[in-house]
Amino acid sequence: MSEEQFSFFEAENSPRQVDFHANRQTGLDRLAAFAPYTGKAYATRRNFDFGSRDRSNISALSPWIRHRLINEEEVLHAVLKQHSFKASEKFIQEIFWRSYFKGWLEQRPEVWLWYRNDLQISLAQLEKDKNLNSRYTDAILGKTGIDAFDFWARELVETGYLHNHARMWFASIWIFTLKLPWVLGADFFYRHLMDGDPASNTCSWRWVAGLHTKGKNYVATASNIEQFTNGRFSAEMYLNKNPVPFDEDREAKIIPMPINGKISNEPYILLLTEEDCLPETLIQTDSPAAIAGVLLTNERSPLEIGGKAKSFAKVAIKDALRRGENQFGCEARLLESVEWKDQLLDLAKSHNVSIIITAYAPVGPVAEQLQSIKEPLSKNGIELSQIIRNYDAMTWPHATKGFFKLKKQMPDFIQALGLA
Ligand SMILES: Cc1cc2nc3c(=O)[nH]c(=O)nc-3n(C[C@H](O)[C@H](O)[C@H](O)COP(=O)(O)OP(=O)(O)OC[C@H]3O[C@@H](n4cnc5c(N)ncnc54)[C@H](O)[C@@H]3O)c2cc1C
């Protein structure tokens, strides 16, 4: 038996079904179950999309990692306990892609603002342009006549998850065959994905279009879809074979890395957001006076957010509050999404604290919302301190150009994390 055949055989025992319950324990269980298959089995089979009933070849951990119900360090630790760095390098690389996109966008926040602005323009166009509106509606309802694409549109809405390869094919068909504005596709993903993430999503759509790596777009081909869906879709479909990569006549300004917030010895409120649901490991100091959680999923888009994405974030934050309460033995409550700013201020006043500590929110809607409360808090003598995790502080500065530069640092990162 060849080595490749062996890894197919070996991966047969990998769990096929994923329980997408948004608590930490379920994420840890999935990590433990999948870690043995992050070596050769992952490297050889990861590109296959066998459908939602068989996720034996990929971890499907992104919804937990994205909300930091489990973090990258824990994943790397579990993987390196099972495999050498060399054997699991492909999987480890994927973990660092997330860090790369986060760090890249953090240093180019304008790209996020362009996306938000261009989305408003495209949404306004939908109101005016009947033809565009009907083509867009067909695409999101899965009624384009391209079987595979239509299937993924429905799969995304129904399950809140798509395989990475399906995301690439879908985005490519959206942009180059259906010729729809890429920002509307990115918005569709961001509204429905349980792992919907400003950096990974925006940068990946830009990458497919040819805007991230200048002059290089991702072109989906019918034969590749047939092969990597294991024949679930036939190659009998019309796709644009020679699309030209997008170009833009603007260059985002690069800004310095954010400055870490201060940790106080005074009483404080701990604020949890869907960006970081791991209160246990954020700061090693005295317990907070109280913990507050806020759900900002609706800020992802002016349009309706999908049920799966919304409920994953809600259960995640509730789980984080419960764990925080157990760990620190203080009151922990979820603030109302509409009145959260007033409620947070009242909570801080009632506990007489002058500092609110939260995990640093990377570029995106949560960061925008946190920015908007700084002034009202400061008028009341309260500071918002955003703590950057060591892992982010270590990886983000290397996301200055392409992924290769950060990838070269992977052995050093592993060493610095004490996982070598
Ligand atoms: C158009 C498009 C949009 C995307 N939007 C998102 C998004 O909103 N949120 C999101 O988390 N990912 C996004 N991705 C990246 C990737 O598709 C998912 O992270 C991956 O499919 C998650 O499945 P998994 O956990 O089984 O990954 P695995 O293959 O098991 O990989 C392990 C982990 O590595 C990370 N990872 C893997 N691939 C990527 C990648 N290409 N970029 C960044 N991190 C990666 C994830 O944390 C993942 O859980 C997008 C990709 C494309 C092409």
Side-chain angles (χ1 to χ4, degrees):
M1 197 186 285
S2 75
E3 221 180 330
E4 192 158 308
Q5 278 170 325
F6 173 72
S7 60
F8 268 81
F9 174 73
E10 173 201 21
E12 278 295 296
N13 297 323
S14 165
R16 287 164 187 243
Q17 299 279 343
V18 185
D19 170 12
F20 281 112
H21 187 59
N23 65 4
R24 175 165 161 76
Q25 193 52 53
T26 311
L28 288 172
D29 291 346
R30 175 75 190 164
L31 174 59
F34 191 74
Y37 307 100
T38 51
K40 183 100 181 155
Y42 176 80
T44 48
R45 299 193 344 138
R46 60 184 280 271
N47 280 328
F48 283 90
D49 178 2
F50 299 121
S52 60
R53 294 213 188 112
D54 183 358
R55 296 301 186 203
S56 59
N57 57 329
I58 46 164
S59 73
L61 283 172
S62 53
W64 289 276
I65 304 175
R66 184 264 172 273
H67 292 87
R68 285 238 156 110
L69 277 165
I70 59 175
N71 67 19
E72 291 88 336
E73 267 179 82
E74 291 175 307
V75 177
L76 292 170
H77 187 241
V79 168
L80 288 164
K81 254 170 77 179
Q82 301 271 348
H83 303 281
S84 67
F85 174 76
K86 200 163 181 289
S88 54
E89 188 170 355
K90 192 71 217 166
F91 187 83
I92 290 176
Q93 248 181 52
E94 298 305 318
I95 298 299
F96 283 110
W97 266 103
R98 177 180 300 282
S99 327
Y100 166 71
F101 282 142
K102 272 188 173 179
W104 192 92
L105 198 61
E106 203 55 42
Q107 295 174 78
R108 292 165 187 82
E110 264 181 318
V111 172
W112 171 251
L113 297 179
W114 295 342
Y115 162 69
R116 291 289 250 194
N117 193 43
D118 293 351
L119 177 62
Q120 289 291 358
I121 295 171
S122 288
L123 289 173
Q125 263 171 352
L126 282 183
E127 299 288 316
K128 283 187 254 151
D129 185 336
K130 275 197 180 145
N131 175 275
L132 177 67
N133 196 316
S134 114
R135 290 189 299 115
Y136 167 76
T137 308
D138 283 349
I140 60 169
L141 294 179
K143 291 183 175 171
T144 65
I146 304 172
D147 285 355
F149 181 94
D150 291 346
F151 181 89
W152 295 318
R154 288 193 293 268
E155 183 181 7
L156 171 63
V157 173
E158 281 162 22
T159 69
Y161 179 85
L162 283 183
H163 184 283
N164 180 57
H165 221 160
R167 296 182 200 206
M168 289 160 61
W169 294 317
F170 186 96
S172 181
I173 297 171
W174 179 288
I175 298 170
F176 299 120
T177 298
L178 300 173
K179 299 195 185 328
L180 288 162
W182 74 264
V183 289
L184 289 178
D187 174 69
F188 179 51
F189 267 27
Y190 194 27
R191 287 189 291 119
H192 289 282
L193 283 170
M194 288 183 289
D195 63 27
D197 176 85
S200 288
N201 193 50
T202 314
C203 294
S204 296
W205 275 84
R206 283 174 55 85
W207 176 82
V208 171
L211 294 168
H212 188 81
T213 311
K214 301 266 175 248
K216 200 167 165 259
N217 53 350
Y218 175 75
V219 184
T221 67
S223 58
N224 184 263
I225 293 174
E226 183 177 84
Q227 181 188 350
F228 286 100
T229 55
N230 227 7
R232 287 191 301 128
F233 300 104
S234 127
E236 293 297 308
M237 65 180 106
Y238 168 76
L239 300 182
N240 186 352
K241 287 189 179 136
N242 295 303
V244 179
F246 282 19
D247 200 1
E248 61 191 348
D249 54 6
R250 51 190 180 187
E251 190 86 35
K253 201 167 63 213
I254 298 183
I255 63 158
M257 287 290 297
I259 295 168
N260 206 353
K262 76 170 193 203
I263 294 174
S264 165
N265 290 326
E266 296 157 30
Y268 65 97
I269 301 284
L270 180 61
L271 176 66
L272 302 181
T273 72
E274 58 221 75
E275 292 296 333
D276 194 307
C277 293
L278 265 182
E280 296 94 329
T281 56
L282 185 64
I283 37 176
Q284 310 301 328
T285 178
D286 290 342
S287 295
I291 309 175
V294 60
L295 263 179
L296 297 167
T297 327
N298 282 337
E299 304 296 329
R300 286 186 186 188
S301 168
L303 300 184
E304 180 79 23
I305 308 303
K308 292 282 177 186
K310 249 177 151 161
S311 84
F312 195 95
K314 190 170 184 177
V315 177
I317 205 106
K318 284 187 168 175
D319 183 57
L321 285 167
R322 186 188 53 76
R323 284 182 286 108
E325 192 170 27
N326 287 346
Q327 165 104 359
F328 298 115
C330 63
E331 172 203 3
R333 59 184 261 230
L334 185 61
L335 306 174
E336 299 292 333
S337 288
V338 183
E339 289 168 7
W340 73 276
K341 294 178 188 174
D342 291 338
Q343 290 185 352
L344 183 63
L345 188 57
D346 290 346
L347 188 69
K349 283 183 184 166
S350 71
H351 284 277
N352 206 16
V353 304
S354 57
I355 184 160
I356 295 174
I357 295 183
T358 190
Y360 182 84
V363 167
V366 175
E368 285 164 357
Q369 289 296 309
L370 292 183
Q371 185 61 29
S372 76
I373 55 162
K374 277 191 177 165
E375 202 188 311
L377 287 177
S378 127
K379 276 189 184 152
N380 286 276
I382 301 165
E383 184 187 344
L384 181 72
S385 172
Q386 297 197 53
I387 306 299
I388 305 176
R389 287 192 184 265
N390 291 340
Y391 177 89
D392 296 333
M394 173 180 79
T395 52
W396 291 357
H398 296 278
T400 46
K401 286 192 178 151
F403 178 66
F404 186 68
K405 194 164 167 258
L406 187 143
K407 187 181 138 188
K408 272 203 318 203
Q409 301 296 321
M410 288 189 330
D412 290 348
F413 295 151
I414 303 280
Q415 183 90 35
L417 294 169
L419 303 174

